[in-house]
Amino acid sequence: MNFLVSGLRALVRNRLALAGASIVVASLLLVLSAPLLTRLHLLRPPDQQDAMGMDADGMPLPVGGAYLLGTDNLGRDVLSRIVHGGRVSLAVGIAAMLTATLIGVAVGLPAGYYGGR
């Protein structure tokens, strides 16, 4: 427990580490709240094509305006697609971490009990 407290103190003292941790936490909160933000109409549905997402020539809208990161070639909001795609990436990362942990425990327990490599 003392190690955890000293680690948190070191993190708070290091401004660069604190900035990085803040970015990770903000991204995590944004990704986890994506369905709520879509229901509140703060984000557009990521799979919905929008006729307003194209200019008069049928080209995607640039960065800025109503679409903060612009639109893709089908008129879909890029920011919304990134945020909703982050949910998939987060799920894959957690699944990979749990799988590696289970394999490590399954190999490490017998090796620790019986000795050897």
Side-chain angles (χ1 to χ4, degrees):
M1 189 68 170
N2 192 20
F3 176 74
L4 181 64
V5 172
S6 65
L8 285 175
R9 283 186 187 146
L11 178 70
V12 170
R13 284 188 209 127
N14 188 342
R15 290 180 15 184
L16 191 59
L18 191 60
S22 299
I23 291 171
V24 168
V25 169
S27 299
L28 186 65
L29 289 175
L30 180 65
V31 164
L32 292 177
S33 65
L36 176 65
L37 294 174
T38 302
R39 269 186 258 125
L40 294 174
H41 302 291
L42 296 172
L43 279 178
R44 291 173 177 82
D47 57 348
Q48 183 179 20
Q49 293 182 356
D50 188 4
M52 301 302 293
M54 305 291 257
D55 66 6
D57 296 328
M59 298 298 293
L61 293 177
V63 173
Y67 300 94
L68 292 178
L69 294 180
T71 60
D72 64 1
N73 58 354
L74 297 176
R76 299 174 295 193
D77 186 18
V78 174
L79 175 64
S80 178
R81 293 178 61 79
I82 289 172
V83 170
H84 282 275
R87 295 177 57 83
V88 175
S89 298
L90 187 64
V92 168
I94 290 173
M97 182 264 314
L98 290 175
T99 302
T101 300
L102 289 175
I103 291 172
V105 167
V107 170
L109 278 175
Y113 184 75
Y114 294 114
R117 292 185 195 188

XYZ file of all heavy atoms in Angstrom:
841
model
N 0.827 -1.187 0.000
C 0.000 0.000 0.000
C 0.874 1.255 0.000
O 0.522 2.240 -0.642
C -0.912 -0.048 1.226
C -1.960 1.010 1.223
S -3.114 0.691 -0.087
C -4.351 1.842 0.296
N 1.965 1.192 0.732
C 2.882 2.325 0.791
C 3.491 2.594 -0.588
O 3.730 3.739 -0.949
C 3.969 2.067 1.836
C 4.755 3.320 2.144
O 4.293 4.423 1.882
N 5.939 3.141 2.696
N 3.726 1.519 -1.349
C 4.275 1.665 -2.693
C 3.299 2.410 -3.597
O 3.699 3.241 -4.413
C 4.592 0.274 -3.274
C 5.068 0.307 -4.691
C 6.345 0.751 -4.993
C 4.243 -0.080 -5.722
C 6.791 0.793 -6.297
C 4.675 -0.036 -7.035
C 5.955 0.397 -7.311
N 2.001 2.126 -3.458
C 0.983 2.784 -4.268
C 0.911 4.276 -3.958
O 0.841 5.102 -4.876
C -0.380 2.133 -4.023
C -1.553 2.694 -4.814
C -1.350 2.462 -6.296
C -2.838 2.056 -4.337
N 0.981 4.632 -2.687
C 0.926 6.034 -2.292
C 2.150 6.785 -2.799
O 2.041 7.896 -3.326
C 0.789 6.159 -0.750
C 0.917 7.603 -0.311
C -0.541 5.573 -0.297
N 3.320 6.172 -2.664
C 4.530 6.843 -3.146
C 4.521 6.965 -4.668
O 5.000 7.951 -5.219
C 5.786 6.105 -2.673
O 5.836 4.813 -3.253
N 3.952 5.981 -5.360
C 3.840 6.060 -6.817
C 2.897 7.172 -7.262
O 3.168 7.884 -8.223
N 1.789 7.334 -6.544
C 0.864 8.419 -6.869
C 1.481 9.788 -6.593
O 1.269 10.737 -7.346
C -0.440 8.257 -6.083
C -1.373 7.156 -6.580
C -2.568 7.007 -5.651
C -1.825 7.420 -7.990
N 2.246 9.889 -5.533
C 2.924 11.159 -5.230
C 3.924 11.506 -6.335
O 4.026 12.661 -6.752
C 3.645 11.071 -3.895
C 2.732 11.193 -2.720
C 3.498 11.236 -1.429
N 2.581 11.196 -0.306
C 2.821 10.619 0.844
N 3.977 10.024 1.053
N 1.919 10.621 1.790
N 4.663 10.498 -6.799
C 5.630 10.732 -7.879
C 4.907 11.133 -9.167
O 5.391 11.995 -9.903
C 6.467 9.481 -8.106
N 3.736 10.546 -9.434
C 2.973 10.898 -10.617
C 2.488 12.340 -10.553
O 2.550 13.067 -11.538
C 1.777 9.951 -10.773
C 0.847 10.222 -11.949
C 1.544 9.884 -13.261
C -0.425 9.443 -11.814
N 2.026 12.770 -9.391
C 1.518 14.132 -9.244
C 2.647 15.150 -9.371
O 2.445 16.242 -9.902
C 0.769 14.274 -7.903
C 0.431 15.716 -7.607
C -0.498 13.434 -7.921
N 3.835 14.806 -8.924
C 4.980 15.730 -9.015
C 5.478 15.889 -10.454
O 5.983 16.941 -10.819
C 6.123 15.229 -8.145
C 5.890 15.490 -6.682
C 7.139 15.165 -5.872
N 6.738 14.760 -4.545
C 7.098 13.654 -3.926
N 7.935 12.826 -4.517
N 6.662 13.374 -2.733
N 5.374 14.846 -11.252
C 5.856 14.881 -12.622
C 4.749 15.441 -13.520
O 3.757 14.773 -13.798
C 6.249 13.474 -13.074
C 6.928 13.475 -14.420
O 6.834 14.427 -15.174
N 7.609 12.374 -14.711
N 4.918 16.668 -14.000
C 3.875 17.332 -14.776
C 3.620 16.643 -16.115
O 2.481 16.587 -16.575
C 4.247 18.793 -15.014
C 4.167 19.593 -13.749
C 4.522 21.041 -13.884
N 4.575 21.557 -15.242
C 4.942 22.779 -15.537
N 5.300 23.610 -14.580
N 4.975 23.193 -16.781
N 4.646 16.111 -16.733
C 4.477 15.434 -18.014
C 3.674 14.142 -17.840
O 2.779 13.851 -18.636
C 5.842 15.149 -18.638
C 5.855 14.693 -20.088
C 5.199 15.730 -20.975
C 7.275 14.446 -20.542
N 3.982 13.383 -16.809
C 3.230 12.158 -16.535
C 1.783 12.474 -16.172
O 0.861 11.758 -16.569
C 3.896 11.374 -15.405
N 1.577 13.543 -15.433
C 0.226 13.956 -15.059
C -0.572 14.381 -16.290
O -1.755 14.049 -16.421
C 0.294 15.094 -14.044
C -1.003 15.478 -13.361
C -1.575 14.301 -12.594
C -0.775 16.642 -12.423
N 0.066 15.073 -17.220
C -0.606 15.465 -18.465
C -0.974 14.233 -19.293
O -2.089 14.149 -19.825
C 0.284 16.405 -19.271
N -0.069 13.282 -19.388
C -0.352 12.049 -20.131
C -1.471 11.245 -19.497
O -2.358 10.746 -20.193
N -1.446 11.130 -18.174
C -2.513 10.411 -17.467
C -3.854 11.122 -17.645
O -4.890 10.466 -17.806
C -2.171 10.282 -15.992
N -3.842 12.442 -17.664
C -5.085 13.199 -17.859
C -5.651 12.954 -19.255
O -6.870 12.806 -19.414
C -4.835 14.695 -17.669
O -4.388 14.953 -16.374
N -4.801 12.890 -20.256
C -5.259 12.625 -21.622
C -5.850 11.226 -21.725
O -6.901 11.022 -22.347
C -4.105 12.822 -22.627
C -3.748 14.301 -22.716
C -4.460 12.259 -23.998
C -2.484 14.583 -23.502
N -5.204 10.247 -21.099
C -5.704 8.880 -21.139
C -7.060 8.784 -20.439
O -7.999 8.164 -20.953
C -4.680 7.905 -20.510
C -5.289 6.541 -20.280
C -3.448 7.799 -21.386
N -7.188 9.404 -19.273
C -8.457 9.367 -18.531
C -9.556 10.086 -19.312
O -10.689 9.596 -19.412
C -8.276 9.964 -17.119
C -9.615 10.192 -16.439
C -7.405 9.053 -16.271
N -9.259 11.237 -19.903
C -10.262 11.972 -20.687
C -10.695 11.152 -21.899
O -11.897 11.092 -22.217
C -9.707 13.321 -21.112
N -9.757 10.510 -22.578
C -10.103 9.672 -23.729
C -10.960 8.490 -23.301
O -11.933 8.139 -23.980
C -8.842 9.157 -24.419
O -8.074 10.226 -24.896
N -10.615 7.874 -22.190
C -11.375 6.741 -21.677
C -12.805 7.151 -21.330
O -13.764 6.459 -21.683
C -10.671 6.161 -20.446
C -11.237 4.891 -19.857
C -11.087 3.755 -20.853
C -10.523 4.547 -18.574
N -12.965 8.290 -20.680
C -14.306 8.770 -20.341
C -15.112 9.098 -21.598
O -16.315 8.805 -21.661
C -14.220 9.992 -19.426
C -13.746 9.730 -18.004
C -13.582 11.041 -17.249
C -14.696 8.808 -17.281
N -14.487 9.691 -22.600
C -15.170 10.018 -23.841
C -15.628 8.757 -24.562
O -16.770 8.673 -25.021
C -14.263 10.848 -24.752
C -14.851 11.271 -26.095
C -16.015 12.229 -25.893
C -13.785 11.904 -26.959
N -14.750 7.776 -24.624
C -15.085 6.535 -25.315
C -16.195 5.784 -24.587
O -17.124 5.276 -25.208
C -13.813 5.656 -25.465
C -14.153 4.237 -25.814
C -12.892 6.251 -26.506
N -16.133 5.738 -23.264
C -17.150 5.011 -22.511
C -18.499 5.719 -22.523
O -19.537 5.068 -22.374
C -16.675 4.782 -21.078
C -15.511 3.815 -20.925
C -15.078 3.726 -19.470
C -15.872 2.440 -21.454
N -18.506 7.020 -22.706
C -19.774 7.756 -22.707
C -20.320 7.973 -24.119
O -21.280 8.734 -24.294
C -19.592 9.097 -22.004
O -18.701 9.915 -22.734
N -19.776 7.332 -25.132
C -20.204 7.536 -26.521
C -21.688 7.243 -26.744
O -22.367 8.035 -27.396
C -19.348 6.707 -27.471
N -22.248 6.136 -26.225
C -23.689 5.918 -26.456
C -24.561 7.005 -25.816
O -25.550 7.435 -26.412
C -23.963 4.564 -25.804
C -22.650 3.891 -25.749
C -21.649 4.972 -25.581
N -24.184 7.459 -24.641
C -24.939 8.525 -23.984
C -24.847 9.823 -24.783
O -25.846 10.518 -24.981
C -24.430 8.750 -22.557
C -25.067 9.893 -21.791
C -26.540 9.602 -21.545
C -24.344 10.130 -20.489
N -23.652 10.146 -25.269
C -23.472 11.359 -26.060
C -24.245 11.289 -27.373
O -24.729 12.308 -27.868
C -21.988 11.598 -26.333
C -21.128 11.909 -25.114
C -19.661 11.972 -25.496
C -21.572 13.193 -24.449
N -24.399 10.095 -27.930
C -25.184 9.943 -29.156
C -26.664 10.128 -28.859
O -27.379 10.783 -29.610
C -24.929 8.564 -29.791
O -23.533 8.438 -30.050
C -25.688 8.394 -31.090
N -27.138 9.558 -27.729
C -28.546 9.728 -27.359
C -28.886 11.181 -27.058
O -30.004 11.622 -27.302
C -28.882 8.863 -26.143
C -29.384 7.490 -26.548
C -29.852 6.692 -25.366
N -28.799 5.738 -25.062
C -28.213 5.596 -23.894
N -28.582 6.316 -22.874
N -27.252 4.718 -23.724
N -27.924 11.923 -26.518
C -28.143 13.338 -26.211
C -27.922 14.239 -27.427
O -27.986 15.460 -27.317
C -27.213 13.777 -25.074
C -27.459 13.131 -23.712
C -26.386 13.543 -22.726
C -28.834 13.488 -23.195
N -27.624 13.640 -28.572
C -27.390 14.338 -29.840
C -26.169 15.267 -29.781
O -26.118 16.271 -30.474
C -28.627 15.116 -30.286
C -29.834 14.245 -30.456
N -29.929 13.324 -31.473
C -30.973 14.122 -29.733
C -31.076 12.694 -31.377
N -31.731 13.155 -30.325
N -25.190 14.912 -28.950
C -23.914 15.626 -28.951
C -22.950 15.000 -29.958
O -22.037 15.657 -30.443
C -23.304 15.634 -27.552
C -24.127 16.387 -26.502
C -23.536 16.182 -25.119
C -24.200 17.854 -26.836
N -23.150 13.710 -30.226
C -22.424 13.003 -31.291
C -23.448 12.474 -32.281
O -24.562 12.123 -31.893
C -21.641 11.814 -30.720
C -20.313 12.056 -30.061
C -19.748 10.743 -29.538
C -19.329 12.698 -30.991
N -23.059 12.402 -33.544
C -23.943 11.815 -34.547
C -23.750 10.303 -34.548
O -22.674 9.812 -34.209
C -23.613 12.397 -35.915
C -23.984 13.853 -36.023
C -23.483 14.448 -37.327
N -23.890 15.829 -37.467
C -23.249 16.850 -36.904
N -22.187 16.638 -36.171
N -23.677 18.078 -37.080
N -24.764 9.544 -34.952
C -24.573 8.087 -35.087
C -23.454 7.805 -36.087
O -23.421 8.406 -37.165
C -25.927 7.597 -35.603
C -26.897 8.646 -35.189
C -26.140 9.942 -35.212
N -22.528 6.918 -35.764
C -21.343 6.735 -36.615
C -21.633 6.074 -37.948
O -20.869 6.220 -38.893
C -20.431 5.855 -35.764
C -21.350 5.134 -34.865
C -22.484 6.071 -34.588
N -22.739 5.357 -38.069
C -23.040 4.650 -39.308
C -24.066 5.368 -40.171
O -24.423 4.887 -41.234
C -23.528 3.243 -38.994
C -24.742 3.258 -38.081
O -25.056 4.316 -37.511
O -25.366 2.200 -37.933
N -24.501 6.521 -39.743
C -25.548 7.241 -40.459
C -24.949 8.228 -41.457
O -24.159 9.092 -41.088
C -26.430 7.991 -39.468
C -27.586 8.710 -40.090
C -28.425 9.397 -39.044
O -27.965 9.649 -37.945
N -29.646 9.701 -39.398
N -25.324 8.085 -42.717
C -24.896 9.040 -43.723
C -25.730 10.297 -43.581
O -26.915 10.244 -43.291
C -25.057 8.459 -45.117
C -24.135 7.312 -45.388
C -24.295 6.783 -46.799
O -25.140 7.220 -47.547
N -23.464 5.811 -47.144
N -25.099 11.438 -43.745
C -25.769 12.709 -43.561
C -25.660 13.501 -44.861
O -24.562 13.730 -45.370
C -25.112 13.473 -42.409
C -25.858 14.726 -42.013
O -26.936 14.987 -42.579
O -25.353 15.437 -41.124
N -26.803 13.915 -45.380
C -26.791 14.699 -46.618
C -26.081 16.029 -46.424
O -25.515 16.590 -47.358
C -28.226 14.935 -47.093
N -26.090 16.545 -45.196
C -25.412 17.813 -44.900
C -23.904 17.614 -44.731
O -23.175 18.576 -44.556
C -25.995 18.444 -43.634
C -27.489 18.734 -43.717
S -27.922 19.826 -45.073
C -27.146 21.314 -44.541
N -23.433 16.364 -44.762
C -22.020 16.078 -44.586
C -21.201 16.217 -45.854
O -20.006 15.942 -45.860
N -21.855 16.625 -46.927
C -21.159 16.813 -48.199
C -21.379 18.248 -48.665
O -22.400 18.849 -48.371
C -21.721 15.851 -49.249
C -21.691 14.399 -48.823
S -20.053 13.747 -48.712
C -19.973 12.809 -50.183
N -20.408 18.764 -49.390
C -20.595 20.119 -49.930
C -21.410 20.054 -51.224
O -21.891 18.991 -51.626
C -19.254 20.815 -50.118
C -18.373 20.168 -51.171
O -18.834 19.229 -51.846
O -17.224 20.606 -51.313
N -21.577 21.170 -51.890
C -22.413 21.239 -53.093
C -21.867 20.375 -54.228
O -22.624 19.892 -55.071
C -22.527 22.687 -53.555
N -20.559 20.145 -54.244
C -19.936 19.331 -55.288
C -19.897 17.850 -54.937
O -19.346 17.050 -55.689
C -18.513 19.815 -55.558
C -18.481 21.237 -56.103
O -19.432 21.603 -56.822
O -17.523 21.963 -55.793
N -20.428 17.475 -53.795
C -20.416 16.081 -53.366
C -19.113 15.657 -52.718
O -18.816 14.467 -52.636
N -18.335 16.618 -52.265
C -17.056 16.324 -51.613
C -17.244 16.360 -50.096
O -18.099 17.092 -49.590
C -15.995 17.351 -52.025
C -15.691 17.348 -53.513
S -15.015 15.780 -54.080
C -13.458 15.790 -53.251
N -16.421 15.609 -49.348
C -16.520 15.646 -47.878
C -16.210 17.033 -47.339
O -15.438 17.793 -47.929
C -15.450 14.647 -47.413
C -15.079 13.862 -48.608
C -15.418 14.676 -49.803
N -16.839 17.354 -46.212
C -16.597 18.649 -45.579
C -15.248 18.656 -44.880
O -14.824 17.636 -44.323
C -17.701 18.962 -44.578
C -19.088 19.209 -45.170
C -20.099 19.432 -44.056
C -19.065 20.383 -46.114
N -14.553 19.781 -44.876
C -13.245 19.849 -44.201
C -13.411 19.944 -42.683
O -14.515 20.060 -42.160
C -12.635 21.123 -44.775
C -13.797 21.972 -45.129
C -14.878 21.030 -45.559
N -12.291 19.943 -42.003
C -12.251 20.069 -40.550
C -12.828 21.414 -40.141
O -12.576 22.435 -40.772
C -10.795 19.936 -40.055
C -10.696 20.223 -38.580
C -10.243 18.563 -40.386
N -13.624 21.406 -39.058
C -14.191 22.643 -38.532
C -15.683 22.724 -38.791
O -16.282 21.885 -39.463
N -16.282 23.743 -38.243
C -17.714 23.947 -38.417
C -18.519 22.961 -37.583
O -18.166 22.630 -36.458
N -19.612 22.471 -38.159
C -20.492 21.537 -37.444
C -19.818 20.177 -37.247
O -20.168 19.436 -36.333
C -21.794 21.373 -38.204
N -18.868 19.839 -38.116
C -18.139 18.576 -38.022
C -16.707 18.907 -37.607
O -15.906 19.351 -38.436
C -18.157 17.853 -39.370
C -19.548 17.523 -39.847
C -20.241 18.372 -40.699
C -20.168 16.357 -39.432
C -21.511 18.073 -41.134
C -21.445 16.042 -39.857
C -22.111 16.907 -40.706
O -23.374 16.591 -41.131
N -16.393 18.665 -36.333
C -15.086 19.104 -35.808
C -13.905 18.481 -36.538
O -12.892 19.127 -36.746
C -15.000 18.803 -34.316
C -15.932 19.623 -33.426
C -15.787 19.196 -31.980
C -15.659 21.097 -33.591
N -14.026 17.212 -36.946
C -12.948 16.551 -37.688
C -13.326 16.310 -39.140
O -12.681 15.533 -39.829
C -12.568 15.229 -37.015
C -11.942 15.348 -35.628
C -11.603 13.981 -35.076
C -10.705 16.223 -35.660
N -14.378 16.956 -39.602
C -14.796 16.819 -40.984
C -15.648 15.581 -41.201
O -16.116 14.948 -40.261
N -15.852 15.253 -42.473
C -16.632 14.075 -42.825
C -15.830 13.197 -43.768
O -14.854 13.639 -44.377
C -17.957 14.478 -43.512
O -17.664 15.213 -44.692
C -18.829 15.306 -42.601
N -16.257 11.933 -43.887
C -15.591 11.043 -44.830
C -16.292 11.141 -46.189
O -17.173 11.980 -46.383
C -15.547 9.612 -44.285
C -16.922 8.994 -44.109
O -17.929 9.649 -44.422
O -16.987 7.839 -43.649
N -15.919 10.275 -47.124
C -16.447 10.395 -48.482
C -17.914 9.990 -48.612
O -18.494 10.124 -49.678
C -15.591 9.596 -49.472
C -15.509 8.135 -49.086
O -15.990 7.725 -48.045
N -14.880 7.352 -49.942
N -18.523 9.502 -47.523
C -19.949 9.188 -47.533
C -20.765 10.170 -46.705
O -21.954 9.975 -46.497
C -20.187 7.761 -47.023
C -19.579 6.644 -47.873
C -19.799 5.300 -47.220
C -20.144 6.669 -49.276
N -20.115 11.202 -46.176
C -20.815 12.211 -45.397
C -20.987 11.863 -43.926
O -21.780 12.481 -43.240
N -20.241 10.873 -43.439
C -20.340 10.484 -42.030
C -19.352 11.295 -41.204
O -18.258 11.610 -41.661
C -20.053 8.993 -41.876
C -21.045 8.131 -42.634
C -20.670 6.687 -42.599
N -19.403 6.505 -43.320
C -18.919 5.330 -43.677
N -19.572 4.226 -43.423
N -17.768 5.248 -44.307
N -19.729 11.600 -39.967
C -18.918 12.399 -39.059
C -17.693 11.599 -38.611
O -17.825 10.512 -38.043
C -19.771 12.804 -37.856
C -19.064 13.748 -36.919
O -18.064 14.365 -37.336
O -19.527 13.888 -35.776
N -16.500 12.130 -38.858
C -15.261 11.419 -38.526
C -15.061 11.347 -37.014
O -14.650 10.304 -36.483
C -14.049 12.087 -39.226
C -12.751 11.466 -38.771
C -14.178 11.974 -40.732
N -15.347 12.414 -36.281
C -15.190 12.394 -34.826
C -16.057 11.313 -34.204
O -15.596 10.557 -33.348
C -15.539 13.761 -34.234
C -15.528 13.841 -32.706
C -14.119 13.592 -32.181
C -16.048 15.180 -32.234
N -17.286 11.209 -34.625
C -18.186 10.195 -34.087
C -17.669 8.789 -34.387
O -17.722 7.901 -33.536
C -19.579 10.385 -34.680
O -20.452 9.395 -34.219
N -17.141 8.599 -35.570
C -16.618 7.277 -35.934
C -15.377 6.926 -35.118
O -15.173 5.780 -34.736
C -16.335 7.221 -37.430
C -17.638 7.309 -38.241
C -17.415 7.295 -39.718
N -16.759 6.083 -40.199
C -17.358 4.919 -40.402
N -18.636 4.802 -40.150
N -16.682 3.894 -40.854
N -14.542 7.919 -34.821
C -13.349 7.675 -34.008
C -13.736 7.318 -32.580
O -13.203 6.371 -31.986
C -12.414 8.897 -34.027
C -11.744 9.033 -35.398
C -11.362 8.809 -32.929
C -10.950 10.305 -35.569
N -14.676 8.058 -32.012
C -15.081 7.815 -30.625
C -15.738 6.444 -30.493
O -15.414 5.671 -29.584
C -16.024 8.936 -30.129
C -16.633 8.580 -28.800
C -15.273 10.247 -30.022
N -16.639 6.113 -31.409
C -17.287 4.800 -31.343
C -16.299 3.677 -31.671
O -16.407 2.581 -31.126
C -18.494 4.751 -32.272
C -19.689 5.443 -31.714
N -20.569 4.831 -30.856
C -20.138 6.698 -31.868
C -21.522 5.676 -30.520
N -21.276 6.831 -31.120
N -15.344 3.926 -32.550
C -14.317 2.928 -32.850
C -13.383 2.692 -31.675
O -12.840 1.606 -31.509
N -13.202 3.716 -30.844
C -12.388 3.557 -29.641
C -12.977 2.545 -28.677
O -12.255 1.883 -27.931
N -14.294 2.393 -28.686
C -14.943 1.393 -27.839
C -14.510 -0.009 -28.258
O -14.238 -0.871 -27.419
C -16.453 1.530 -27.923
C -16.984 2.832 -27.364
C -18.474 2.972 -27.524
N -19.231 1.896 -26.923
C -19.555 1.835 -25.640
N -19.184 2.785 -24.825
N -20.246 0.827 -25.178
N -14.429 -0.245 -29.554
C -14.004 -1.548 -30.058
C -12.540 -1.790 -29.688
O -12.173 -2.876 -29.220
C -14.211 -1.640 -31.582
C -13.669 -2.942 -32.132
C -15.679 -1.475 -31.924
N -11.706 -0.783 -29.870
C -10.283 -0.921 -29.529
C -10.094 -1.198 -28.047
O -9.243 -2.003 -27.657
C -9.525 0.344 -29.925
O -9.590 0.545 -31.303
N -10.870 -0.529 -27.215
C -10.792 -0.747 -25.774
C -11.203 -2.178 -25.415
O -10.546 -2.836 -24.611
C -11.683 0.265 -25.057
C -11.617 0.297 -23.550
C -10.227 0.707 -23.083
C -12.650 1.259 -23.004
N -12.260 -2.674 -26.043
C -12.710 -4.045 -25.773
C -11.669 -5.068 -26.212
O -11.403 -6.047 -25.496
C -14.038 -4.304 -26.479
N -11.056 -4.854 -27.368
C -10.023 -5.779 -27.860
C -8.809 -5.755 -26.928
O -8.243 -6.801 -26.601
C -9.625 -5.437 -29.310
C -8.370 -6.182 -29.737
C -10.770 -5.735 -30.245
N -8.409 -4.561 -26.482
C -7.268 -4.453 -25.569
C -7.518 -5.150 -24.244
O -6.640 -5.843 -23.707
N -8.714 -4.987 -23.692
C -9.045 -5.640 -22.420
C -9.101 -7.150 -22.602
O -8.612 -7.909 -21.756
C -10.362 -5.072 -21.863
C -10.141 -3.634 -21.388
C -10.900 -5.935 -20.737
C -11.395 -2.912 -20.981
N -9.682 -7.613 -23.713
C -9.738 -9.056 -23.968
C -8.338 -9.648 -24.115
O -8.052 -10.736 -23.591
C -10.568 -9.339 -25.216
N -7.440 -8.945 -24.794
C -6.071 -9.431 -24.957
C -5.344 -9.475 -23.617
O -4.617 -10.431 -23.327
C -5.314 -8.548 -25.941
N -5.556 -8.461 -22.782
C -4.911 -8.433 -21.478
C -5.421 -9.568 -20.592
O -4.636 -10.245 -19.913
C -5.178 -7.077 -20.806
C -4.526 -6.888 -19.461
S -5.549 -7.251 -18.028
C -7.069 -6.476 -18.352
N -6.730 -9.821 -20.600
C -7.281 -10.909 -19.792
C -6.808 -12.267 -20.286
O -6.500 -13.154 -19.485
C -8.813 -10.842 -19.792
C -9.420 -9.686 -19.018
C -10.932 -9.667 -19.193
C -9.055 -9.758 -17.553
N -6.728 -12.436 -21.603
C -6.231 -13.699 -22.156
C -4.776 -13.937 -21.760
O -4.408 -15.040 -21.338
C -6.368 -13.695 -23.692
O -7.740 -13.478 -24.032
C -5.888 -14.987 -24.295
N -3.948 -12.913 -21.874
C -2.538 -13.056 -21.495
C -2.397 -13.336 -19.998
O -1.545 -14.142 -19.587
C -1.774 -11.790 -21.863
N -3.243 -12.720 -19.182
C -3.195 -12.961 -17.744
C -3.585 -14.399 -17.421
O -2.919 -15.068 -16.610
C -4.127 -11.978 -17.004
O -3.690 -10.648 -17.279
C -4.110 -12.218 -15.510
N -4.645 -14.889 -18.049
C -5.077 -16.271 -17.795
C -4.026 -17.279 -18.241
O -3.762 -18.256 -17.538
C -6.405 -16.538 -18.494
C -7.614 -15.841 -17.904
C -8.846 -16.094 -18.762
C -7.852 -16.297 -16.480
N -3.409 -17.052 -19.394
C -2.354 -17.964 -19.856
C -1.153 -17.894 -18.918
O -0.560 -18.925 -18.559
C -1.953 -17.628 -21.313
C -3.095 -17.970 -22.257
C -0.672 -18.359 -21.710
C -2.894 -17.504 -23.679
N -0.783 -16.695 -18.491
C 0.349 -16.555 -17.572
C 0.107 -17.228 -16.238
O 1.005 -17.882 -15.683
N -1.103 -17.117 -15.722
C -1.426 -17.778 -14.452
C -1.443 -19.291 -14.641
O -0.930 -20.036 -13.797
C -2.776 -17.261 -13.904
C -3.290 -18.133 -12.779
C -2.629 -15.824 -13.437
N -2.017 -19.770 -15.760
C -2.083 -21.211 -16.005
C -0.694 -21.828 -16.168
O -0.460 -22.968 -15.772
C -2.924 -21.483 -17.251
N 0.242 -21.098 -16.724
C 1.603 -21.611 -16.888
C 2.421 -21.378 -15.616
O 3.213 -22.228 -15.204
C 2.277 -20.952 -18.109
C 3.764 -21.271 -18.176
C 1.587 -21.398 -19.386
N 2.214 -20.230 -14.976
C 3.033 -19.874 -13.823
C 2.716 -20.647 -12.553
O 3.614 -20.933 -11.762
N 1.462 -20.961 -12.322
C 1.109 -21.703 -11.106
C 1.758 -23.081 -11.049
O 2.404 -23.423 -10.047
C -0.405 -21.815 -10.965
C -1.105 -20.606 -10.375
C -2.610 -20.801 -10.399
C -0.641 -20.362 -8.967
N 1.634 -23.916 -12.068
C 2.315 -25.215 -11.995
C 3.845 -25.083 -11.957
O 4.530 -25.846 -11.264
C 1.879 -25.943 -13.270
C 0.690 -25.227 -13.763
C 0.778 -23.830 -13.252
N 4.375 -24.107 -12.693
C 5.824 -23.937 -12.691
C 6.312 -23.512 -11.330
O 7.364 -23.960 -10.852
C 6.226 -22.890 -13.742
N 5.561 -22.662 -10.636
C 5.950 -22.232 -9.292
C 5.781 -23.344 -8.275
O 6.556 -23.475 -7.331
N 4.750 -24.158 -8.442
C 4.498 -25.219 -7.480
C 5.483 -26.373 -7.640
O 6.027 -26.883 -6.668
C 3.058 -25.715 -7.652
C 2.676 -26.759 -6.638
C 2.405 -26.396 -5.327
C 2.588 -28.099 -6.982
C 2.061 -27.340 -4.387
C 2.237 -29.057 -6.064
C 1.980 -28.667 -4.758
O 1.627 -29.617 -3.839
N 5.711 -26.797 -8.880
C 6.574 -27.946 -9.125
C 8.029 -27.563 -9.351
O 8.906 -28.421 -9.343
C 6.072 -28.745 -10.336
C 4.730 -29.392 -10.090
C 3.621 -28.979 -10.804
C 4.590 -30.387 -9.154
C 2.389 -29.557 -10.580
C 3.369 -30.975 -8.918
C 2.265 -30.563 -9.642
O 1.038 -31.129 -9.410
N 8.319 -26.304 -9.543
C 9.690 -25.863 -9.798
C 10.032 -25.992 -11.275
O 9.236 -26.406 -12.086
N 11.180 -25.593 -11.610
C 11.603 -25.630 -13.004
C 11.433 -24.282 -13.666
O 11.339 -23.266 -13.008
N 11.398 -24.312 -14.973
C 11.296 -23.073 -15.727
C 9.928 -22.457 -15.614
O 8.936 -22.914 -15.899
C 11.636 -23.288 -17.190
C 13.078 -23.610 -17.375
C 13.349 -23.692 -18.840
N 14.633 -24.345 -19.039
C 15.220 -24.431 -20.185
N 14.666 -23.916 -21.236
N 16.373 -25.023 -20.303
